[in-house]
Amino acid sequence: MSNNSLSIFITSTEEVILDQKNLRPFGDVQFLFAQFLSRELTSPLVARKFPELAALGFWLRPANLKKIIGKHNLNLDVNLFVPRGLVFHIAPSNVDTIFVYSWFISLLCGNRNLIRISEKVNPQNNLLLDIIVKTLLKPEFKEIANSIQIISYGHDDDISKDLSLKTDVRVVWGGDSTINHFRSFQIPPHGTELCFSNKFSLCIIDSDKLNQLSQEQLLKLSKGFYNDSYWFGQMACSSPRLILWRGRGENLDIAREKFWRVFEEVLNKKRNFFDTADFVNKEISVDSLAFKQKVKISSKDNRLTKIWLDKPEVYINDHCGLGLFHESKITHLSDLSSLLSRSIQTVSYFGLSREEVFHYVKEHLPVGIDRFCEVGHALDFGSIWDGLDLFRSFLRQIDFK
């Protein structure tokens, strides 16, 4: 492998990883490792400073992981599953913690892992790497330490080509251009690939149901919406960018006024994440959209810009995140169908019932939409992502008759 611009953070050498045996799927050592990491990430010191790392820590609790695994009905006492081997993860730069979710599911399945992380330096990632390294240095986790290497390098195609040829599974996060670029590098004939392309997410709020909320309930909803939207600067693929208000007339106007008033109170208590360049980017996005549709700007500052669309529409290329929300209205959930494409990922919602969502999906077979979740859970990572079952993707099943 060329080592031009290559930075190795942890831990094993490439040769050791290639020679290392796979781990036993869902072995005790992986759950013990998860427990140690979880404890560090949910400590008050970390949780206060970086709530997104605390959320990762809660996800890593062994009880939670076993509950998630149980939902996949792998029937490990009956079926024969083995790890696929070496998994090469290309992590995105816009969501700092995503590589841990992907890596950990692969690790639970017993695979060895090479992880390429962004060269961008930020305090969250530095702290996360410090905690991972500190935990891997414990003698009881030597086997896991020998099965992982976290690296960072620039646009070096020789490195990407070399690693791709050695991997059994390649996982590409980071968008359409990254996916298309990595597809120019071959993987072995038996290799498989998981790709997570550019996605756009939206939120549906039922006006009548919102108007029935107490002040306390409205505050909880607003905090959940804040977490969905602002933890990663609205750059996560599951963060809502378009809000569709279901309802009509005066009730809808009252609901919007109530929601945004409380939300802005929540926002005022938070840090201001965006700089002047971000505000300029939002200006450009708004101007670009104004050429395409009649828009009404109802709020415009560095933290929050709201654009009302008379006609509901998804404008993927005229949205830059960073606290920019397109808004419009629908009368029925079925009105959603005309807006959908395969680029729509998460629909977070308030005021829809499970029965209503199931009925909509079964009756309308929507193009797009990979997940529905309640407001406040848009960033919760799932082991089924973009329609792919990650556990089964990281395991190889041996048939036995």
Side-chain angles (χ1 to χ4, degrees):
M1 180 196 306
S2 163
N3 59 5
N4 181 31
S5 73
L6 176 67
S7 299
I8 300 176
F9 294 97
I10 55 174
T11 170
S12 186
T13 65
E14 183 183 338
E15 289 71 24
V16 170
I17 292 177
L18 293 174
D19 292 340
Q20 179 77 3
K21 287 183 178 179
N22 296 322
L23 299 171
R24 185 184 303 279
F26 312 111
D28 291 341
V29 68
Q30 289 103 308
F31 288 107
L32 185 61
F33 181 56
Q35 185 178 11
F36 271 76
L37 277 183
S38 174
R39 194 178 300 158
E40 291 289 331
L41 291 169
T42 56
S43 68
L45 190 63
V46 175
R48 274 197 301 271
K49 199 169 183 181
F50 301 115
E52 60 271 37
L53 294 186
L56 171 61
F58 279 108
W59 185 84
L60 282 168
R61 288 172 298 139
N64 180 57
L65 295 176
K66 289 176 181 177
K67 183 178 175 183
I68 293 171
I69 294 166
K71 291 180 178 176
H72 286 261
N73 298 317
L74 295 171
N75 293 321
L76 297 172
D77 293 334
V78 177
N79 296 319
L80 295 174
F81 285 105
V82 295
R84 285 193 176 270
L86 186 63
V87 180
F88 178 26
H89 308 256
I90 297 95
S93 60
N94 59 338
V95 181
D96 307 316
T97 58
I98 196 76
F99 81 86
V100 179
Y101 292 100
S102 170
W103 159 49
F104 224 89
I105 291 178
S106 175
L107 174 64
L108 286 169
C109 293
N111 295 294
R112 293 159 287 131
N113 297 276
L114 282 165
I115 305 166
R116 178 200 177 187
I117 60 173
S118 168
E119 291 184 300
K120 292 180 182 175
V121 177
N122 65 60
Q124 289 98 323
N125 254 13
N126 287 343
L127 178 59
L128 180 59
L129 288 172
D130 284 346
I131 290 173
I132 291 173
V133 171
K134 177 182 164 187
T135 308
L136 282 170
L137 288 175
K138 295 181 182 294
E140 57 266 46
F141 300 129
K142 182 179 179 182
E143 196 178 12
I144 292 178
N146 285 339
S147 75
I148 174 177
Q149 188 177 57
I150 298 182
I151 60 177
S152 182
Y153 59 91
H155 298 289
D156 191 321
D157 289 350
D158 289 337
I159 297 176
S160 298
K161 181 179 179 181
D162 183 68
L163 294 178
S164 294
L165 280 172
K166 293 172 180 172
T167 59
D168 298 287
V169 182
R170 185 168 63 189
V171 184
V172 187
W173 301 85
D176 297 354
S177 60
T178 303
I179 291 169
N180 290 332
H181 187 68
F182 269 86
R183 279 186 171 160
S184 67
F185 309 127
Q186 289 185 359
I187 56 176
H190 70 271
T192 60
E193 184 178 54
L194 307 180
C195 293
F196 300 96
S197 57
N198 291 341
K199 293 286 184 174
F200 185 97
S201 294
L202 53 93
C203 176
I204 297 176
I205 298 178
D206 184 277
S207 304
D208 292 339
K209 297 283 177 53
L210 186 137
N211 286 333
Q212 296 169 15
L213 294 180
S214 66
Q215 189 66 16
E216 184 180 352
Q217 291 168 326
L218 188 53
L219 181 61
K220 182 180 178 183
L221 179 70
S222 299
K223 288 180 176 177
F225 185 82
Y226 173 86
N227 293 342
D228 288 348
S229 306
Y230 281 75
W231 270 7
F232 297 105
Q234 210 186 5
M235 302 304 284
C237 55
S238 55
S239 290
R241 295 185 166 201
L242 166 66
I243 304 173
L244 293 173
W245 293 89
R246 186 171 70 167
R248 61 183 74 194
E250 187 181 14
N251 274 359
L252 190 151
D253 295 335
I254 293 172
R256 283 185 65 214
E257 191 280 326
K258 278 185 174 180
F259 175 78
W260 287 119
R261 177 171 44 80
V262 174
F263 180 77
E264 290 189 33
E265 291 173 5
V266 172
L267 195 57
N268 287 337
K269 294 178 182 176
K270 304 290 183 180
R271 291 174 293 164
N272 185 351
F273 293 98
F274 308 125
D275 57 26
T276 304
D278 296 329
F279 184 66
V280 172
N281 284 333
K282 279 191 282 192
E283 288 280 286
I284 294 170
S285 294
V286 172
D287 291 345
S288 173
L289 182 58
F291 281 111
K292 299 174 181 174
Q293 191 190 136
K294 182 180 178 182
V295 300
K296 187 185 299 178
I297 303 172
S298 55
S299 173
K300 188 178 179 182
D301 67 29
N302 194 13
R303 303 162 306 160
L304 174 65
T305 300
K306 295 181 289 179
I307 305 295
W308 180 262
L309 309 174
D310 285 341
K311 179 186 175 188
E313 202 76 56
V314 172
Y315 291 103
I316 295 175
N317 296 325
D318 298 298
H319 204 298
C320 62
L322 306 167
L324 172 62
F325 296 95
H326 296 170
E327 293 182 271
S328 195
K329 65 180 178 181
I330 57 174
T331 306
H332 307 286
L333 184 56
S334 57
D335 297 339
L336 188 61
S337 295
S338 63
L339 307 177
L340 300 178
S341 71
R342 278 299 292 125
S343 294
I344 304 299
Q345 190 210 55
T346 296
V347 176
S348 51
Y349 65 86
F350 169 76
L352 305 183
S353 68
R354 179 184 178 86
E355 291 73 22
E356 191 177 6
V357 171
F358 268 58
H359 177 77
Y360 166 71
V361 172
K362 290 182 177 181
E363 286 297 314
H364 296 273
L365 304 177
V367 176
I369 304 183
D370 295 314
R371 60 196 287 255
F372 283 90
C373 65
E374 293 182 345
V375 171
H377 296 277
L379 299 183
D380 292 357
F381 187 79
S383 51
I384 295 177
W385 198 257
D386 283 9
L388 298 170
D389 183 327
L390 297 185
F391 279 107
R392 290 187 182 274
S393 298
F394 288 133
L395 288 167
R396 184 166 60 85
Q397 185 168 5
I398 297 176
D399 191 24
F400 178 78
K401 301 191 186 297

